[in-house]
Amino acid sequence: MTMAEVTYRDAVRSALREEMERNDRIILMGESITGYGGSYAVTKGLVDEFGPKRVMETPIAEAGIVGFAVGAAMGGLIPVAELMTVNFALLALDQIVNSAAKFHYMFGGQFSVPLVVRTVSGFGQLGPTHSQTFEGWFASVPGLKVVMPATPADAKGLLLASMRDPDPVIFIEHSLLYSTRGEVPEGPAASVEVPIGKARVAREGSDVTIIGYSRMLLQALHAAEVLDREDGISCEVIDLRTLRPLDYPTLVNSVRRTHRLVLCGEDWRTGGFGGSLLSELQDRCFDDLDAPIQRVAMRDVPLPYSRELERTLIPSSEHIVEAVRRLS
Amino acid sequence: MYRRMVQIRHFEDHAAEAYAQAKVGGFLHLYIGEEAVAVGALAAAHPNDHVLGHYRDHGYALARGCDPKRCMAELFGRETGLCHGRGGSMHLAEASRNFWGGYAIVGSHIPIGAGMAYAMQYLQREQVVLDFFGDGATGNGIFHEGLNMAALWDLPVVFICENNLYGMGATLAEESPVKDMIIKAEGYTMPSLQCDGMDVLSVYEAVQKATEHCRSGKGPFFVEALTYRFRGHSMADPELYRDKEEVRRWRALDPIPRFGQFCVDRRICSEQELAQVAEDVEQEMLEAVRFAGSSPWPDPSTIDKWIYAKPIATDGDAVVEQPASAEVGAVHGAEAAR
Ligand SMILES: Cc1ncc(C[n+]2csc(CCOP(=O)(O)OP(=O)(O)O)c2C)c(N)n1
Ligand SMILES: [Mg+2]
């Protein structure tokens, strides 16, 4: 298979473009996604290619956008709704949780809601209301699928899979990953697609398992290198890729061999995704664990604007290194 | 009013420069071109009327009389900033001046303004709430919920819509079926006025009528200021969606020289006096930048401060002790709402 080196941003865009070419039921909708090109320039140019009926500029109306997308999905389309950032997804939470996630179940399986909500988490001096990440909230909702790609290949492959999935998918990109580059396979969708619900061993190791996703995967890989070099500790790094459904077998298999576990996320320690992951893995791996499971998470503080304060709070590879060292 | 507008203009120019030098981070939204709206409106309001605005908020802060030094320090993320570096450019606030802040979730402060107006009505205060937002916000459900409640309960709030023709990259035609925002107020039987947002006197007059209406107990009022931002939506905006000719046309309506000319024509002041204002303001802003640049960073050990007015233990740490005085910023709303 041929590979091309592209950015995460371009990988997302090419998944949208290719699938739109293949399937004219796919529509995009969102705020400033046409003339402006999307707040992170992901949809740039798509309106010229596909026209305003398929790339819809919407009012600033998050609840409306998702409700509308749910209806469009019920009517036979496959809407990909962009919510500028996950912070604004809060305005649409009702439609996501009480509509998209419920209908298939509540109406006895008569119809599903094939819908993708693309949104973005991240930070960078954006202040308390614009620097949050809520994947744990979405992942707690039965009926939703939650995807958080870390690499360009996964961004493309998982978005393709999301658009082909019959259920509502919350697809969370990361603003600090858009310019990262990586190899992405080229070819028919089937060969590029990455299945929802499969974790990936991103680096093999034997002493400790580090689980990350999205930006924290990159931080974990960096930490693994540092630990290998400075401490001679061999880390296995796993990229969750999908938070719901969650690929427990891959995680459990790894912990069986390493007996030590560090969980990494950017959301708050209290109620964050890592909390439920920890409880489940402790349950499944209790006899295999040689030490308490460690967590790297955001301290329970609204992320302040000031650069110097923000810097001390953002979970990073240094925190992961510390956590691993605590284990040995 | 002339001085205030010039203050905002120069402040914004320096903010943009500081952003280019990476001294200011995150999202920076400039008010350049729209100065007449905040300045005219706040000149017409009483100094203790309440003010809420959106993230393009430097203009409201300065028009309300906040110290440019402390505003700039907030943009620099320093401890001396209005919000001690916690909020940044989009979240300036000075409760002691009844300037309750910039709000960065579009539309979120529209019902908040209505609620505050209810508090004024309930407490039988004379104060009115001025609530500024953009044309884009009117497409959001929260806008309609806020207007509905304000009208339903006859609340003393002036909604001031800065119609600058764009919500980020969306043109008015792409975001709204009507081009006049006052039409949206009609559905709630709210009286309204459209004014020239590039003319400080036009804004002043409209807001004066509006606040009088509210103060006499007749309920909310809607003011639409027709205006234009000369710069991009934020510093990250490549401005692909509007043409340079349109920007040029609006720049010709620049509210500052326009009002300056008015003052000279009426012999209210001379050209030299206007030039002197610009010079004084420039000195003031240079001083603000110096102050911000030399101010200390917030102390990382204070990170947990202010998460609660009455602190709890976080992350298993001990409770951070705080003095119970208003100095910590935990001013109780009603108490501050003098
Ligand atoms: C709920 C929500 N959705 C989206 C955004 C992103 N956003 C910030 S400003 C803006 C445009 C707002 O336009 P308008 O209300 O006209 O105000 P203007 O910037 O033109 O003054 C958007 C979409 C946001 N901050 N909050
Ligand atoms: Mg606008």
Side-chain angles (χ1 to χ4, degrees):
Chain A
M1 197 186 307
T2 58
M3 304 288 272
E5 209 200 59
V6 300
T7 62
Y8 187 95
R9 173 185 289 108
D10 290 340
V12 174
R13 187 188 302 127
S14 73
L16 293 171
R17 177 187 288 120
E18 288 172 22
E19 197 63 5
M20 287 178 83
E21 277 166 359
R22 276 189 290 264
N23 185 347
D24 65 7
R25 293 194 166 217
I26 294 184
I27 59 162
L28 309 187
M29 48 188 304
E31 299 160 15
S32 291
I33 68 166
T34 61
Y36 196 96
S39 41
Y40 292 99
V42 170
T43 53
K44 200 167 170 185
L46 294 180
V47 70
D48 304 325
E49 235 170 293
F50 298 101
K53 278 200 132 109
R54 296 192 65 196
V55 184
M56 295 173 69
E57 181 75 30
T58 69
I60 306 167
E62 289 75 13
I65 292 170
V66 177
F68 186 99
V70 167
M74 288 161 61
L77 303 184
I78 301 173
V80 180
E82 173 175 311
L83 300 179
M84 251 180 215
T85 79
V86 77
N87 306 282
F88 316 144
L90 298 191
L91 283 82
L93 213 50
D94 169 64
Q95 290 289 353
I96 293 172
V97 176
N98 282 328
S99 299
K102 293 295 185 296
F103 290 175
H104 186 258
Y105 182 82
M106 183 166 93
F107 295 122
Q110 297 179 71
F111 59 91
S112 72
V113 182
L115 151 75
V116 181
V117 174
R118 282 184 46 242
T119 187
V120 183
S121 65
F123 34 75
Q125 283 204 269
L126 306 180
T129 61
H130 279 49
S131 311
Q132 307 164 97
T133 181
F134 298 117
E135 59 269 21
W137 296 8
F138 295 116
S140 77
V141 180
L144 295 180
K145 292 175 180 171
V146 181
V147 175
M148 287 189 84
T151 64
D154 281 354
K156 179 161 184 181
L158 283 163
L159 185 51
L160 286 173
S162 301
M163 290 186 283
R164 290 162 171 235
D165 197 279
D167 289 309
V169 178
I170 309 298
F171 190 91
I172 307 176
E173 297 155 27
H174 199 295
S175 62
L176 299 182
L177 292 180
Y178 279 128
S179 298
T180 58
R181 296 180 157 273
E183 299 272 302
V184 175
E186 288 183 319
S191 60
V192 180
E193 203 179 312
V194 173
I196 290 178
K198 274 305 289 168
R200 177 177 73 99
V201 177
R203 177 189 172 115
E204 292 186 356
S206 52
D207 298 334
V208 52
T209 299
I210 307 177
I211 299 176
Y213 54 88
S214 191
R215 170 182 164 274
M216 288 311 277
L217 188 262
L218 274 56
Q219 299 294 316
L221 287 171
H222 185 243
E225 250 167 58
V226 172
L227 287 158
D228 181 39
R229 199 172 54 233
E230 296 181 6
D231 304 57
I233 297 175
S234 160
C235 300
E236 178 141 305
V237 178
I238 297 181
D239 181 0
L240 279 185
R241 306 205 280 195
T242 304
L243 276 57
R244 184 185 194 99
L246 208 112
D247 181 5
Y248 283 110
T250 298
L251 311 184
V252 172
N253 284 340
S254 176
V255 178
R256 289 234 160 96
R257 286 184 292 101
T258 62
H259 310 293
R260 287 179 173 80
L261 182 56
V262 176
L263 307 178
C264 311
E266 286 176 347
D267 54 352
W268 285 303
R269 178 170 297 274
T270 303
F273 181 71
S276 69
L277 187 58
L278 185 149
S279 109
E280 193 62 29
L281 284 172
Q282 171 174 268
D283 224 31
R284 294 180 191 233
C285 307
F286 190 74
D287 293 332
D288 298 304
L289 285 166
D290 285 349
I293 300 173
Q294 298 295 307
R295 262 181 85 196
V296 173
M298 184 71 76
R299 187 156 149 190
D300 286 347
V301 174
L303 203 59
Y305 164 82
S306 180
R307 189 174 73 205
E308 292 306 304
L309 293 182
E310 187 183 52
R311 182 151 56 205
T312 66
L313 290 167
I314 302 295
S316 70
S317 59
E318 285 152 43
H319 297 106
I320 302 174
V321 168
E322 277 169 32
V324 170
R325 285 183 181 152
R326 277 201 299 273
L327 282 175
S328 32
Chain B
M1 289 200 288
Y2 185 80
R3 173 180 289 272
R4 282 280 189 244
M5 289 199 286
V6 174
Q7 249 191 344
I8 297 171
R9 179 70 55 93
H10 286 226
F11 182 92
E12 297 294 54
D13 284 337
H14 283 288
E17 194 180 318
Y19 182 89
Q21 299 164 347
K23 290 178 180 154
V24 173
F27 292 135
L28 178 65
H29 308 82
L30 302 179
Y31 202 57
I32 293 178
E34 308 188 30
E35 293 92 341
V37 184
V39 170
L42 293 190
H46 290 179
N48 67 345
D49 284 341
H50 300 289
V51 178
L52 300 91
H54 62 352
Y55 44 84
R56 197 181 301 288
D57 60 353
H58 312 162
Y60 314 128
L62 295 171
R64 191 19 89 85
C66 298
D67 183 350
K69 292 208 288 285
R70 295 198 58 204
C71 294
M72 192 61 83
E74 187 62 31
L75 270 58
F76 277 56
R78 305 304 168 107
E79 184 59 35
T80 52
L82 281 181
C83 303
H84 306 278
R86 269 60 171 183
S89 158
M90 300 194 288
H91 303 294
L92 302 178
E94 195 166 17
S96 62
R97 291 180 197 274
N98 287 345
F99 170 50
W100 297 95
Y103 294 82
I105 300 298
V106 169
S108 65
H109 61 296
I110 296 174
I112 294 173
M116 215 159 182
Y118 181 71
M120 294 307 102
Q121 188 190 61
Y122 185 96
L123 298 169
Q124 298 180 331
R125 299 269 166 78
E126 290 274 281
Q127 288 142 288
V128 162
V129 176
L130 281 79
D131 202 327
F132 295 84
F133 50 87
D135 46 287
T138 70
N140 202 295
I142 200 88
F143 162 83
H144 295 275
E145 293 172 32
L147 259 66
N148 192 52
M149 287 189 275
L152 186 61
W153 297 318
D154 292 328
L155 304 177
V157 49
V158 183
F159 294 111
I160 303 175
C161 181
E162 298 175 337
N163 185 350
N164 62 7
L165 303 180
Y166 294 90
M168 202 162 150
T171 63
L172 198 56
E174 285 170 325
E175 63 183 9
S176 175
V178 294
K179 84 179 205 318
D180 297 311
M181 297 299 119
I182 48 173
I183 292 177
K184 301 192 182 191
E186 275 170 22
Y188 303 101
T189 67
M190 204 179 289
S192 62
L193 275 175
Q194 214 171 33
C195 64
D196 179 355
M198 309 306 277
D199 174 4
V200 72
L201 295 175
S202 171
V203 178
Y204 181 93
E205 254 173 56
V207 173
Q208 192 169 46
K209 286 196 184 113
T211 51
E212 266 168 28
H213 173 93
C214 291
R215 245 184 277 282
S216 64
K218 293 186 194 139
F221 200 99
F222 193 95
V223 174
E224 176 179 9
L226 303 173
T227 183
Y228 198 79
R229 56 170 162 72
F230 292 171
R231 306 286 291 263
H233 169 68
S234 72
M235 297 302 284
D237 181 358
E239 286 188 75
L240 304 169
Y241 50 84
R242 64 182 192 185
D243 64 52
K244 300 234 158 39
E245 185 41 43
E246 179 187 284
V247 181
R248 249 196 305 278
R249 264 201 323 278
W250 279 91
R251 274 185 183 271
L253 302 173
D254 192 328
I256 296 177
R258 190 162 158 195
F259 186 54
Q261 194 59 49
F262 173 90
C263 294
V264 172
D265 290 349
R266 297 288 171 101
R267 301 186 194 286
I268 298 165
C269 62
S270 66
E271 302 263 6
Q272 289 87 320
E273 283 169 308
L274 295 185
Q276 190 60 47
V277 168
E279 207 165 294
D280 294 349
V281 165
E282 181 58 16
Q283 287 311 317
E284 187 186 17
M285 295 306 149
L286 286 170
E287 178 51 31
V289 171
R290 262 195 302 274
F291 173 82
S294 60
S295 287
W297 293 102
D299 178 352
S301 74
T302 64
I303 270 173
D304 293 330
K305 201 173 168 185
W306 298 313
I307 298 177
Y308 299 97
K310 182 176 175 214
I312 61 162
T314 59
D315 280 14
D317 295 344
V319 170
V320 183
E321 279 304 327
Q322 287 183 14
S325 75
E327 184 268 321
V328 295
V331 194
H332 187 265
E335 184 195 321
R338 283 171 310 251

